[in-house]
């Protein structure tokens, strides 16, 4: 029951982000959306992803969005307050695309095993046909192939080393880009 309430909350926040007319309100709602999504990751037993979502989505991106609004809205005339409402109008074509994507996704979600199901491929070492699941492969080969005793470190460093390096490069590039933009703004 908690999962459904939390997912409904996250979906509601996503809809509000898309429909809110006030950009700062939309950014704040996006931060709440990211924190709710972090809670979903905690329920799915992925605390590392939850921390990344909370830090990046709820923290860093929200600050960057606010900075972008501040730095790009100088000299922009204010809109007429009588013409603005609380919500934007809904684009029917975009709504049709969202519904067309949501229906098959919801159908696929109903076919997933329950969270914590001991026979789910994510937590069992073999499929019914006897072949190894990714979990079974990583757990079974961690010690012999890596020499590391910590399975998480072995997966991140050995099995997913290039992926982890790529993520570090993306974060570093984003940080350098933000610093360049902020430095240009200070100089002008």
């Amino acid at each position: 029951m908690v999962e459904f309430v939390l997912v409904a909350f996250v979906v509601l926040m996503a809809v509000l982000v898309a429909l809110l007319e006030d950009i700062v309100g939309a950014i704040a709602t996006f931060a709440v959306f990211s924190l709710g999504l972090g809670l979903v990751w905690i329920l799915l037993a992925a605390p590392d992803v939850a921390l990344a979502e909370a830090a990046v989505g709820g923290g860093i991106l929200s600050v960057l969005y606010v900075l972008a609004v501040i730095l790009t809205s100088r000299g922009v005339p204010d809109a007429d307050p009588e013409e603005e409402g609380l919500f934007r109008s809904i684009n029917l074509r975009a709504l049709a695309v969202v519904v067309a994507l949501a229906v098959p996704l919801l159908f696929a979600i109903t076919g997933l095993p329950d969270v914590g199901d001991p026979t789910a491929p994510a937590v069992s070492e073999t499929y019914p046909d006897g072949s190894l699941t990714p979990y079974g492969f990583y757990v079974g080969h961690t010690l012999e192939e890596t020499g590391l005793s910590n399975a998480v470190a072995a997966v991140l460093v050995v099995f997913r080393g290039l992926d982890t390096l790529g993520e570090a490069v993306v974060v570093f590039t984003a940080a350098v880009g933000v610093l360049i933009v902020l430095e240009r703004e200070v100089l002008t």
Side-chain angles (χ1 to χ4, degrees):
M1 180 64 180
V2 172
E3 296 91 358
F4 292 113
V5 171
L6 193 54
V7 168
F9 173 77
V10 168
V11 169
L12 175 67
M13 291 299 108
V15 169
L16 284 176
V17 167
L19 295 180
L20 280 174
E21 189 70 36
D22 177 35
I23 192 73
V24 176
I27 293 170
T29 306
F30 176 78
V32 173
F33 162 79
S34 291
L35 294 175
L37 200 54
L39 291 175
V40 169
W41 286 117
I42 287 174
L43 285 177
L44 294 173
D48 54 334
V49 180
L51 284 172
E53 179 64 39
V56 174
I60 295 171
L61 279 179
S62 299
V63 170
L64 288 178
Y65 290 153
V66 169
L67 283 174
V69 168
I70 290 170
L71 295 176
T72 59
S73 63
R74 292 185 189 150
V76 176
D78 291 334
D80 184 14
E82 292 182 15
E83 292 181 12
E84 287 188 20
L86 183 60
F87 296 107
R88 297 176 189 261
S89 61
I90 296 175
N91 182 334
L92 294 179
R93 279 187 254 166
L95 180 63
V97 169
V98 168
V99 170
L101 291 172
V103 168
L105 283 174
L106 289 174
F107 180 73
I109 288 171
T110 59
L112 292 174
D114 293 332
V115 174
D117 182 3
T119 62
V123 293
S124 60
E125 293 192 23
T126 59
Y127 289 111
D129 67 359
S131 61
L132 286 175
T133 63
Y135 172 81
F137 175 79
Y138 288 131
V139 169
H141 293 87
T142 296
L143 291 174
E144 58 197 50
E145 288 191 15
T146 66
L148 299 173
S149 60
N150 185 322
V152 174
V155 169
L156 289 178
V157 175
V158 178
F159 295 129
R160 293 187 56 207
L162 290 176
D163 180 44
T164 304
L165 176 64
E167 291 170 1
V169 168
V170 167
V171 170
F172 177 76
T173 305
V176 168
V178 168
L179 291 174
I180 289 171
V181 168
L182 291 176
E183 183 65 27
R184 283 186 184 168
E185 188 60 33
V186 170
L187 293 175
T188 59

